[in-house]
Amino acid sequence: KRRKTKPWLDDMPRMIFVADMTDSLSKRVSFSFLRREVVAVADSQLGRRHIWLWLTKRSHRMAEFSAWLGERGVRWPRNLWAGTSVTSQVTASRIRGLLEVGNGTTYRFLSVEPQVEAMNLAKWLPKLDWVIQGGESGPKALPFDIQWARELRDLCRQHGIPYFLKQLGSNVTRN
């Protein structure tokens, strides 16, 4: 659509967040629905010009879905970026499932937010394409140590991975 106040955006591709207020990889959502509503739309003639960000806490289910598509001869669209959320060292195990999604051209990203403790992601970073990090917001936000941001930023830089600090959060500490 045309934008009178922002004409520079006319006809530009967009980054579209898939199901930004939910996790569409719940077991209650069928793979056939996801194929029709996510994959087919992202891979359609109009959809291919955009980048679709698909973030989940259920990376193993995303990997199962990716395998299910492959069994049907459907490739993971190159413009459908696969991501998982991690908040602690324990939840970093989700990265294993993420690495099974798609193929060698699949863009994989990590959302490290809200980060609630120090984490070591060094072994995973060479296999990822982008990292987003942030602290928790709100009046009861858990602490976010600014050193965590510095360390992850530096690791990403070392591995040549784009890094985006989304927010420090409402409870920033400096150790």
Side-chain angles (χ1 to χ4, degrees):
K1 75 181 190 182
R2 299 283 175 209
R3 297 195 163 120
K4 292 178 184 177
T5 60
K6 298 179 183 177
W8 59 89
L9 292 177
D10 289 351
D11 301 317
M12 292 294 293
R14 305 276 194 266
M15 284 190 125
I16 300 168
F17 203 120
V18 176
D20 65 331
M21 299 301 283
T22 187
D23 193 332
S24 56
L25 284 151
S26 161
K27 288 189 178 188
R28 298 181 124 201
V29 180
S30 72
F31 285 168
S32 58
F33 177 84
L34 295 173
R35 177 182 179 183
R36 185 176 64 249
E37 299 297 324
V38 178
V39 173
V41 172
D43 204 30
S44 69
Q45 184 177 356
L46 292 174
R48 274 186 230 119
R49 67 190 216 110
H50 304 295
I51 294 173
W52 301 79
L53 305 174
W54 197 1
L55 184 64
T56 184
K57 291 179 182 172
R58 297 173 172 94
S59 61
H60 290 89
R61 181 141 162 88
M62 186 182 272
E64 289 171 13
F65 174 59
S66 176
W68 181 88
L69 288 172
E71 291 165 4
R72 284 151 184 79
V74 178
R75 67 172 181 76
W76 190 270
R78 186 177 172 95
N79 62 325
L80 181 57
W81 293 8
T84 196
S85 297
V86 298
T87 59
S88 64
Q89 196 67 49
V90 169
T91 61
S93 64
R94 295 175 183 158
I95 300 170
R96 282 193 295 274
L98 179 65
L99 297 176
E100 296 175 17
V101 174
N103 56 45
T105 65
T106 301
Y107 201 94
R108 295 176 185 90
F109 69 99
L110 212 63
S111 176
V112 185
E113 60 177 324
Q115 185 173 354
V116 298
E117 67 180 23
M119 299 169 63
N120 182 352
L121 300 173
K123 72 177 184 177
W124 304 107
L125 289 180
K127 301 169 186 171
L128 299 171
D129 299 293
W130 184 31
V131 173
I132 304 163
Q133 184 182 34
E136 190 172 30
S137 59
K140 296 180 181 177
L142 293 171
F144 179 80
D145 190 329
I146 193 77
Q147 189 59 32
W148 301 342
R150 289 185 181 115
E151 289 170 3
L152 187 53
R153 177 206 60 199
D154 293 347
L155 271 173
C156 286
R157 190 176 288 157
Q158 178 183 343
H159 291 285
I161 298 162
Y163 166 85
F164 176 63
L165 179 61
K166 183 176 173 186
Q167 66 178 12
L168 292 174
S170 304
N171 188 0
V172 181
T173 62
R174 291 167 176 79
N175 291 334

